[in-house]
Amino acid sequence: MNKLLPGYFYLFLLLFVGVGVEASPKSSPKERTLHNHAFHSLSFGEGRGEASRQTINFNTGWKFHLAYDVRKQPETINVTLPHTWNAKDVLSGNGNYQRESGIYEKAFSVNSAWKNKRLFLHFDGVNSVATVLVNKHFVTEHKGGYTAFCVEITDLVKPGEANQVEVQVSNAARADVLPLSGDFNVYGGIHRPVSLLVTAKDCISPLDHASPGVYLTPRSVSAQSATVNVLTKLSVAETAGLQLRSELVDAGQHVVASVTNVVSNNRNAVQTISLKQPHLWNGKADPYLYSVQVSLLKNGQVIDQVVQPLGLRYYHVDANKGFTLNGKYLDLHGVGFHEDVEGKGSALDTSDYDKDMQLIREIGANALRLTHYPHGKYFYDLCDRNGLVVWSEIPLVGPGGYTGAGYLKNPELEQQARQVLTEMIRQNYNHPSVCFWGLFNELKLDHDDPVPFIKELNALAKKEDPNRPTTCATFLDSDRFNQVSDLIAWNKYYGWYAGEFKQIGAWADKTHHNYPQKPFAVSEYGAGGSPFKHTENNVKPDADSRFHPEEWQTSYHEMNWLELSKRTFIWGKFVWALADFGSSIRTEGDTSGINDKGLVTYDRKVKKDAFYFYKANWNPEPMLYITDRRNTMRTQQAITVKIYSTLAHVKLKVNGKDITNGEPDEFHIIRWENVPLQKGKNKIEVSVGTGEKTLQDSCEWILEDGNGITKSN
């Protein structure tokens, strides 16, 4: 474990933060592809003295077997990382899925030209405990599956010869590793990419909790000027002949400011760059990114370089006025979600991240809660580039309404929580999208009291990064956690587990009245819904049952958003969840082992009606959508046709006959009541002219005999 940085580091953290990470803007398409897989800042230095670092994709050529197979020749399978052994067995609806140990092995050669280089292995995430051996020698153990770690292997490898790396991985439940519990699966494996990093003997350190080794802290940011402090962590034997150069580059690849200093300290270097009339990072409206190129020079030649994008912005959260970005109010609304895709579990590749980001862009979210752990590096990069405001949290997760504890006063567990919090902050310090550090989710008070320790975590977070506010998500209706973090948020499910839709508005008003100085958000709200189960009479279902009709989920979101959207003092509203996800404890809805509160299905193939409701309200692009479209078998002759539209003067036709035109209300809903159906097939059509083209949507419903109330497709 790396020690905490020297005290003066925190002096520079007192300045405002807002930066990002991506490949060097000068990199080739191939190099950018490497970046996407390695999730690490790349820099290239052909013709630059000793040449700068290489980041090499280390994801192929692995062999895997479960650890209990200790035969001389165990049955192995060939795998490409990311990988998990749990992608399928978690869907049995049995909480006792494979939480055990697996072994990954890879043979690799070390270029003889690297004889005078340093070699590091960078793991983006191994769930949950990783033991790394190189050529059968122990290198390190890392606890926690959702943060990166980096180890040096220079002295353990043999240039010009075959070498072997072995990673022993366990996702077994342990009292000293987060999370202790939670409504999601802990997928075992090397479930994020791995990179081999090759540097010069003197380099920018990759060993500061696997951070980029460069910390960019903008301060005094305004439309007129900005100053950026650059703290660089060095791993240098001798400082003679060394210089450090930091260049600020705009989006057009022009150097707009530069500073060069002699290296006098072999561990840290601090520089300052000033800029007049900066182009601000302004969320979705204008996610403008500069880059900062930090180069280590020896006798005037670049021997190492790290490139970090820089987002210049300032923001504030107020108990009465909500969230402001660059001095203007911004209604933060978005989703929470897990790194979990059907058939892959948490072993996602860049195409999976891209697909989820496309869904987020389509729905029109401007904020994300990355639940319930730090997500993969590549996704933070996507958030920077797409202008999303992000809440990132550690996996200190309570069981909510379930049995068990999310926290125990265990010194080893507390140390692991401190470690994960430190890693999350240092690894993601340079992302303008990240605006909130989350300390816990749904801790209970029926075991050891977590409040004193959460206050300690909050102090650590403020020491690491005094600029970003801390927050947490509770489900307890009390003020017990109100003083443990800068902000507070509640998970509320009125109209699903208990209560009525409209109660969320009354609750918000009461909370605001009771705690007028405490800014609060709604960190989760949602309901289960299946696009394959339907009802004509929208009666509240039992949340624990197998029948989760899509129509109730849609009504839930319509009515909850109606209440929440009126209350601008709520600094953030986060739907739970973007997509259905695996949860082995669930035996409800269509499929065991699935939490079906997503706005899209687990495989991302079906967007539920509620998805389109938010798209109509959050995304200003022209749209037209018929709801209840999958409820194809009808027994009631007089029906309501409901559509979502961002455009006025919508025409409705039923079986080719014109019905009265409709106008959307303030939530972009149009309802035609008592529309008659004929026996058998009925074609429903809606259309609206946009001036340039006509938007159309249609579906088919069948009126059948009988008096049934609910029907399944």
Side-chain angles (χ1 to χ4, degrees):
M1 177 58 57
N2 295 324
K3 295 181 179 179
L4 292 178
L5 297 179
Y8 68 80
F9 168 75
Y10 302 107
L11 174 63
F12 291 95
L13 291 188
L14 291 171
L15 308 170
F16 186 83
V17 179
V19 290
V21 179
E22 67 177 19
S24 165
K26 296 181 180 179
S27 60
S28 68
K30 180 179 179 181
E31 289 160 349
R32 287 194 293 271
T33 300
L34 276 175
H35 164 73
N36 288 346
H37 287 285
F39 295 55
H40 200 79
S41 59
L42 295 182
S43 42
F44 303 90
E46 293 87 347
R48 296 181 175 180
E50 297 180 28
S52 44
R53 67 176 61 188
Q54 300 177 62
T55 300
I56 299 168
N57 185 314
F58 212 63
N59 295 324
T60 59
W62 291 85
K63 293 186 178 296
F64 169 77
H65 68 277
L66 291 171
Y68 60 73
D69 191 344
V70 294
R71 292 174 293 175
K72 189 177 295 186
Q73 293 184 325
E75 295 182 8
T76 64
I77 59 172
N78 297 322
V79 298
T80 297
L81 306 180
H83 174 263
T84 176
W85 61 76
N86 289 128
K88 296 181 180 180
D89 69 299
V90 292
L91 299 178
S92 65
N94 180 359
N96 188 29
Y97 58 95
Q98 285 182 296
R99 299 197 65 172
E100 52 185 300
S101 296
I103 294 177
Y104 294 82
E105 295 175 303
K106 176 182 172 71
F108 66 103
S109 60
V110 175
N111 193 321
S112 57
W114 296 345
K115 185 176 182 180
N116 294 316
K117 300 288 187 179
R118 295 173 67 180
L119 276 67
F120 305 85
L121 285 177
H122 185 281
F123 295 85
D124 274 21
V126 182
N127 217 4
S128 295
V129 178
T131 302
V132 181
L133 296 86
V134 172
N135 292 329
K136 301 192 181 301
H137 293 286
F138 173 83
V139 180
T140 193
E141 179 186 73
H142 182 266
K143 295 179 180 178
Y146 304 101
T147 47
F149 65 99
C150 186
V151 294
E152 184 166 8
I153 61 171
T154 305
D155 295 336
L156 294 173
V157 297
K158 302 171 183 177
E161 298 183 25
N163 294 269
Q164 183 190 52
V165 59
E166 176 182 333
V167 187
Q168 300 176 4
V169 183
S170 172
N171 70 330
R174 292 174 50 157
D176 62 342
V177 178
L178 298 176
L180 296 187
S181 59
D183 184 16
F184 60 95
N185 300 323
V186 179
Y187 294 98
I190 306 180
H191 68 149
R192 291 182 183 163
V194 181
S195 305
L196 176 65
L197 181 64
V198 183
T199 74
K201 288 292 187 181
D202 294 324
C203 65
I204 298 168
S205 178
L207 296 177
D208 185 26
H209 292 275
S211 76
V214 171
Y215 299 88
L216 304 176
T217 307
R219 61 181 179 90
S220 304
V221 176
S222 70
Q224 289 72 44
S225 63
T227 300
V228 182
N229 281 345
V230 184
L231 172 66
T232 304
K233 305 298 296 181
L234 299 172
S235 182
V236 169
E238 296 290 339
T239 61
L242 294 182
Q243 293 177 299
L244 197 69
R245 180 176 67 214
S246 293
E247 296 172 301
L248 180 58
V249 181
D250 67 15
Q253 308 309 308
H254 303 107
V255 176
V256 294
S258 179
V259 59
T260 302
N261 299 108
V262 173
V263 174
S264 58
N265 183 312
N266 64 358
R267 296 185 60 192
N268 306 288
V270 178
Q271 299 171 297
T272 301
I273 301 176
S274 296
L275 180 66
K276 297 293 185 183
Q277 296 180 318
H279 192 148
L280 299 184
W281 185 93
N282 197 32
K284 285 176 60 179
D286 186 10
Y288 186 90
L289 292 172
Y290 292 90
S291 63
V292 175
Q293 299 178 358
V294 181
S295 303
L296 181 63
L297 295 84
K298 186 172 185 179
N299 298 323
Q301 298 294 311
V302 175
I303 60 172
D304 196 14
Q305 185 184 83
V306 169
V307 180
Q308 297 280 284
L310 168 68
L312 297 170
R313 84 283 189 269
Y314 58 97
Y315 63 95
H316 180 68
V317 184
D318 184 87
N320 293 307
K321 298 179 181 179
F323 181 86
T324 57
L325 177 63
N326 300 329
K328 295 182 179 180
Y329 173 75
L330 181 62
D331 179 45
L332 289 187
H333 50 258
V335 296
F337 63 107
H338 281 290
E339 289 187 325
D340 192 356
V341 173
E342 184 182 55
K344 294 185 176 182
S346 61
L348 309 187
D349 60 31
T350 54
S351 67
D352 298 306
Y353 289 116
D354 289 338
K355 185 178 296 184
D356 278 354
M357 179 55 72
Q358 182 55 43
L359 290 168
I360 290 161
R361 287 172 55 90
E362 181 182 350
I363 203 173
N366 62 15
L368 299 176
R369 181 179 173 217
L370 302 188
T371 43
H372 289 298
Y373 39 76
H375 286 211
K377 187 73 167 176
Y378 179 68
F379 196 78
Y380 288 90
D381 297 341
L382 288 179
C383 292
D384 293 341
R385 296 195 291 269
N386 285 281
L388 280 304
V389 173
V390 169
W391 165 350
S392 180
E393 64 193 38
I394 62 173
L396 184 54
V397 182
Y402 307 106
T403 59
Y407 163 79
L408 297 171
K409 190 162 183 56
N410 175 341
E412 288 76 19
L413 180 71
E414 292 184 340
Q415 178 54 32
Q416 211 264 318
R418 295 185 197 99
Q419 167 208 321
V420 173
L421 180 61
T422 302
E423 290 172 339
M424 177 180 72
I425 293 174
R426 296 197 191 179
Q427 290 167 20
N428 298 295
Y429 187 92
N430 291 343
H431 287 285
S433 56
V434 177
C435 292
F436 314 103
W437 297 125
L439 303 181
F440 74 83
N441 177 75
E442 291 194 354
L443 290 184
K444 294 167 64 174
L445 297 171
D446 58 355
H447 287 74
D448 292 326
D449 183 2
V451 170
F453 180 61
I454 299 302
K455 289 182 177 179
E456 180 185 331
L457 284 182
N458 186 67
L460 175 60
K462 304 307 288 184
K463 186 178 181 182
E464 289 286 326
D465 181 2
N467 307 289
R468 290 181 174 96
T470 55
T471 189
C472 49
T474 182
F475 74 121
L476 300 176
D477 282 318
S478 74
D479 63 353
R480 192 74 173 87
F481 293 113
N482 274 15
Q483 304 305 315
V484 301
S485 54
D486 298 322
L487 313 172
I488 188 73
W490 269 274
N491 298 342
K492 287 294 175 183
Y493 290 91
Y494 292 115
W496 180 239
Y497 293 115
E500 300 178 2
F501 301 146
K502 62 183 179 182
Q503 285 181 261
I504 196 166
W507 164 83
D509 292 339
K510 180 180 178 181
T511 301
H512 188 44
H513 177 268
N514 290 344
Y515 317 120
Q517 304 304 314
K518 190 70 177 181
F520 73 90
V522 175
S523 38
E524 293 179 19
Y525 69 103
S530 167
F532 311 110
K533 295 288 175 65
H534 301 284
T535 179
E536 290 178 271
N537 293 349
N538 205 14
V539 178
K540 183 179 182 298
D542 181 352
D544 294 329
S545 74
R546 289 291 187 179
F547 185 61
H548 289 178
E550 184 176 19
E551 290 73 20
W552 186 262
Q553 183 194 47
T554 305
S555 296
Y556 174 99
H557 283 290
E558 290 175 353
M559 297 306 295
N560 271 256
W561 181 248
L562 183 152
E563 297 292 332
L564 293 173
S565 63
K566 297 175 182 177
R567 293 163 169 85
T568 57
F569 58 81
I570 301 175
W571 62 259
K573 298 105 173 174
F574 298 91
V575 172
W576 189 250
L578 173 66
D580 296 346
F581 59 93
S583 178
S584 67
I585 64 174
R586 295 277 174 173
T587 55
E588 62 192 44
D590 286 311
T591 308
S592 293
I594 294 292
N595 187 316
D596 65 353
K597 294 187 183 69
L599 301 177
V600 300
T601 52
Y602 192 26
D603 59 9
R604 276 53 169 185
K605 291 182 179 179
V606 179
K607 300 166 186 173
K608 305 177 191 179
D609 283 357
F611 178 94
Y612 289 97
F613 169 70
Y614 286 111
K615 180 177 179 178
N617 282 274
W618 294 352
N619 187 339
E621 294 180 359
M623 70 156 287
L624 186 65
Y625 178 80
I626 301 172
T627 71
D628 306 331
R629 63 197 304 116
R630 285 174 283 270
N631 190 5
T632 57
M633 306 302 294
R634 303 298 183 108
T635 63
Q636 298 176 4
Q637 186 171 12
I639 64 163
T640 297
V641 176
K642 182 178 68 173
I643 66 115
Y644 302 137
S645 176
T646 56
L647 300 170
H649 314 307
V650 177
K651 298 178 182 180
L652 169 66
K653 285 185 177 183
V654 177
N655 298 320
K657 296 180 180 180
D658 289 334
I659 309 294
T660 306
N661 287 1
E663 303 298 330
D665 63 18
E666 62 179 312
F667 295 99
H668 305 284
I669 301 172
I670 306 175
R671 290 182 175 89
W672 288 270
E673 306 286 351
N674 297 312
V675 175
L677 298 182
Q678 64 185 22
K679 290 290 178 66
K681 293 182 179 180
N682 293 264
K683 187 172 185 180
I684 313 299
E685 300 173 275
V686 292
S687 63
V688 60
T690 67
E692 298 179 357
K693 63 179 181 179
T694 298
L695 294 184
Q696 297 176 320
D697 194 17
S698 65
C699 64
E700 190 175 88
W701 295 332
I702 298 173
L703 177 63
E704 60 180 5
D705 294 327
N707 298 312
I709 294 177
T710 59
K711 294 289 177 181
S712 300
N713 283 352

